[in-house]
Amino acid sequence: MKIYLDGKFVDQADAKISVFDHGLLYGDGVFEGIRLYGGNVFRLDEHLERLEYSAKAILLSMPWSRKEISDATCETCRQNGLQDGYIRLVVTRGVGDLGLSPWLCPKPSIFIIANKIALYPPETYTTGLSIVTVPTRRVNSAAFSPAIKSLNYLNNILAKIEAKQFGALEAILLNDQGYVAECTGDNIFIIHKGEIITPAASQGALKGITRSAIFDIAQELKLPIREADMTRYDVFNADEAFLTGTAAEVIPVVKLDGREIGTGKPGKITQRVLESFRRRVLTEGTRI
Ligand code: PXG
């Protein structure tokens, strides 16, 4: 496997980052997870825009243009002969002395991995996921905005561990007010009386690229969609529910905390959304 690392393509074995990189020492950096479908990078420009917003929010000034990063992303896929896969684009604060101060790091680093990902077993896309609410709350946005896709994923990782302890593959994180924020690596949607509803990003959700595609799909399918505060009660009593994410794509949810959602089977609207999503990923995107 060839990895793009600071302007060069290197073998996987030579793709190394210093132990003095603040991305490793302090989680000081940002990243994107991007999908490649049939030679098209799905919504690459939106991902690169979000990367720029994340970097700006942590005062990390990226010395590369969007075009340079976009070209490097496509070239990484080509170098690895990939037509379908998962792209991990990481920007770190770079090498610096010990100490938190980011100004100890003169030069940020960038690397791009293009590989495969399978987040959930294939059968869960037809049977639906059974998920749980975990005690770990989504990080308070006044402390650290969940909209920043940073290298600090411990909040999500702890929730993921708790999900596993309860025998589930994914977990709902509530925000500090008790409203549903999102899952560990996915946004959440419910369908109630024909309406698609998702928590606002201000409730502690990442502004998912897949989430934004769902708004376009709802328009295409002429289904009403809106952002609203959401409680566990709303999810228990929804007709359908599904999660979205670059790795997860669109996956039905059939149970939360032991309560069956709707019929306990993936819902009809969810199926239509999933089919539309699968059509779109093959046509939308940047050709590598
Ligand atoms: N919320 C969180 C916390 C995420 O990490 C999403 C929502 C969905 O956003 P997108 O833009 O992907 O629709 C994410 C994304 C992984 C992995 O390796 C996780 C994500 C994306 C890609 C890979 O588990 N999470």
Side-chain angles (χ1 to χ4, degrees):
M1 194 192 309
K2 291 279 183 198
I3 313 288
Y4 179 85
L5 177 57
D6 290 326
K8 293 194 194 80
F9 285 95
V10 295
D11 284 330
Q12 184 176 341
D14 302 320
K16 293 193 176 134
I17 286 275
S18 165
V19 294
F20 288 97
D21 192 305
H22 281 209
L24 176 64
L25 285 176
Y26 302 108
D28 187 354
V30 292
F31 78 100
E32 281 298 316
I34 310 168
R35 264 320 247 270
L36 174 72
Y37 291 100
N40 294 306
V41 184
F42 187 62
R43 300 205 167 190
L44 179 56
D45 219 48
E46 280 184 47
H47 279 286
L48 297 183
E49 181 180 67
R50 186 171 66 184
L51 182 77
E52 289 163 11
Y53 289 169
S54 295
K56 175 141 189 196
I58 68 161
L59 292 101
L60 194 165
S61 147
M62 295 196 294
W64 320 282
S65 68
R66 191 181 299 186
K67 170 95 173 49
E68 281 174 287
I69 302 181
S70 170
D71 288 349
T73 304
C74 294
E75 187 56 27
T76 308
C77 296
R78 286 196 296 269
Q79 291 267 335
N80 289 287
L82 270 189
Q83 287 291 312
D84 293 276
Y86 171 68
I87 302 156
R88 169 58 60 108
L89 198 169
V90 182
V91 174
T92 74
R93 189 73 72 174
V95 171
D97 292 337
L98 293 176
L100 287 181
S101 314
W103 47 91
L104 298 172
C105 311
K107 202 163 101 14
S109 262
I110 181 168
F111 61 87
I112 307 171
I113 307 168
N115 202 351
K116 297 274 176 191
I117 193 167
L119 200 57
Y120 302 119
E123 64 276 12
T124 52
Y125 287 82
T126 45
T127 58
L129 279 181
S130 197
I131 66 172
V132 292
T133 311
V134 289
T136 291
R137 295 290 172 110
R138 192 72 178 106
V139 67
N140 182 324
S141 59
F144 182 63
S145 172
I148 302 171
K149 209 164 161 60
S150 84
L151 296 182
N152 285 267
Y153 252 57
L154 267 178
N155 179 217
N156 314 55
I157 289 165
L158 291 177
K160 190 96 184 170
I161 292 168
E162 288 167 348
K164 187 158 186 278
Q165 287 169 340
F166 293 121
L169 293 174
E170 185 53 295
I172 285 184
L173 289 109
L174 305 176
N175 65 20
D176 57 0
Q177 292 180 305
Y179 288 107
V180 172
E182 60 176 341
C183 294
T184 69
D186 316 306
N187 291 112
I188 182 161
F189 289 79
I190 59 169
I191 296 156
H192 188 62
K193 296 191 192 297
E195 235 188 345
I196 307 178
I197 304 162
T198 191
S202 57
Q203 292 293 3
L206 182 77
K207 290 182 184 171
I209 307 295
T210 325
R211 178 183 183 275
S212 78
I214 301 301
F215 280 78
D216 297 339
I217 290 170
Q219 205 166 27
E220 172 205 316
L221 300 179
K222 301 195 169 42
L223 295 167
I225 187 164
R226 67 187 168 94
E227 294 180 338
D229 294 349
M230 189 183 287
T231 61
R232 290 168 68 226
Y233 171 90
D234 297 324
V235 185
F236 298 152
N237 291 300
D239 302 315
E240 304 182 24
F242 61 88
L243 311 181
T244 66
T246 294
E249 305 179 293
V250 176
I251 185 155
V253 175
V254 292
K255 210 185 242 191
L256 172 63
D257 301 332
R259 281 88 157 173
E260 274 190 354
I261 297 168
T263 61
K265 301 243 156 51
K268 290 211 166 60
I269 294 178
T270 302
Q271 307 264 28
R272 287 175 65 202
V273 170
L274 178 56
E275 279 158 25
S276 167
F277 179 76
R278 292 213 165 124
R279 272 196 309 276
R280 272 170 185 263
V281 295
L282 294 173
T283 51
E284 273 182 28
T286 307
R287 194 93 208 126
I288 59 166

